[in-house]
Amino acid sequence: PDTAQDSPAVAIQALDPLATTLPSETDKGLGPSAPLLVNEFRDGAIGQATARPGAENTITVTFSSVATIFADSYTTVTLTGLTVTRTADQALPIAGDPVARGILPPTGVWAQATGSLAIPVITRLRASEMVEVSFGVVNPLRAQRQADVDILSSGIITAPRTLANDPGFSAPLLVWTNLTIKTIEQSTASATSANTISVTLSFLNGIAFDPDLLLTISGLTGSVTSERRIPVAVKVGANGTSEE
């Protein structure tokens, strides 16, 4: 099958008229040899240590494998989607109990363009055993939304599965911005008048463009404007300042 599944129960029955037997469940192969077992990674989660722009950041990943993975399957587990970082292509150091126990090597192959880390399994990784590893990257200078990170493998082929992000600022590669200027003004103080609110912002390092990234201004209570979408005009100043 194309999708992951556990190995089903398999029964055997003799139908010879002279020696009919009742169905009996058979013993199955171990690990990936179990019939019709299609592997997947479960209980996957990913988080980070800091959302500070340009900071050295520690990424922590946890997951488990449905099937036992043996070294002779030449399986490589790959994390992909950790973009954008300032970490160049390299053999990236990895830490964690599976490294100390020799299940995984002390380094993985990092590719900056795809934000991927490839980690070979060098000794047996048992089925359902929780794996936790961490590694360091450098955050971008510009603010950005969290990454959506997939885990997959070759050797024993495992389809990509998206890891669950830790909440809030612990979501992987979520980088907040530094506001150096933030002011708000209005066009009139007259009662019942149409009023234009102007907001001026300046970002120390800018924000990576993302159509889903939202800037929220809160606290403008007391107006008679009902809840609805309202027109917003934006202009960018010569020094990168934005006015709305």
Side-chain angles (χ1 to χ4, degrees):
D2 296 330
T3 57
Q5 65 176 29
D6 293 325
S7 176
V10 180
I12 187 169
Q13 179 182 17
L15 298 178
D16 189 306
L18 300 178
T20 299
T21 62
L22 296 175
S24 175
E25 187 171 346
T26 64
D27 294 330
K28 298 188 292 186
L30 299 177
S33 298
L36 294 181
L37 171 66
V38 179
N39 193 42
E40 70 174 337
F41 294 117
R42 294 178 178 171
D43 308 311
I46 185 168
Q48 68 176 4
T50 179
R52 187 177 299 276
E56 294 185 359
N57 195 2
T58 299
I59 304 295
T60 300
V61 179
T62 58
F63 65 91
S64 65
S65 173
V66 170
T68 297
I69 299 177
F70 295 96
D72 60 7
S73 66
Y74 301 102
T75 295
T76 295
V77 178
T78 299
L79 306 170
T80 185
L82 283 161
T83 55
V84 176
T85 71
R86 301 175 65 205
T87 302
D89 294 358
Q90 60 183 276
L92 198 64
I94 305 168
D97 181 66
V99 177
R101 292 164 53 203
I103 298 172
L104 303 176
T107 61
V109 179
W110 170 259
Q112 183 180 24
T114 57
S116 63
L117 181 64
I119 310 170
V121 177
I122 55 177
T123 60
R124 182 174 59 178
L125 174 61
R126 296 180 182 275
S128 302
E129 179 178 358
M130 287 302 300
V131 174
E132 179 174 310
V133 294
S134 60
F135 51 92
V137 297
V138 179
N139 285 345
L141 293 175
R142 291 189 170 190
Q144 64 182 20
R145 296 178 69 223
Q146 69 270 19
D148 292 322
V149 183
D150 287 345
I151 184 171
L152 62 148
S153 70
S154 58
I156 291 181
I157 298 173
T158 307
R161 183 161 187 169
T162 302
L163 297 170
N165 287 343
D166 285 356
F169 286 117
S170 295
L173 293 184
L174 173 68
V175 177
W176 47 256
T177 187
N178 290 314
L179 290 172
T180 56
I181 299 174
K182 41 187 184 297
T183 62
I184 185 167
E185 299 175 342
Q186 66 176 8
S187 62
T188 181
S190 298
T192 69
S193 297
N195 195 1
T196 299
I197 303 296
S198 297
V199 179
T200 302
L201 303 172
S202 181
F203 305 97
L204 179 63
N205 298 308
I207 298 178
F209 173 76
D210 186 328
D212 295 322
L213 186 66
L214 300 178
L215 178 67
T216 300
I217 300 170
S218 60
L220 289 166
T221 59
S223 78
V224 295
T225 302
S226 60
E227 293 185 8
R228 64 178 188 272
R229 300 181 70 89
I230 60 175
V232 176
V234 179
K235 64 178 180 179
V236 178
N239 63 349
T241 300
S242 294
E243 298 179 356
E244 297 189 4

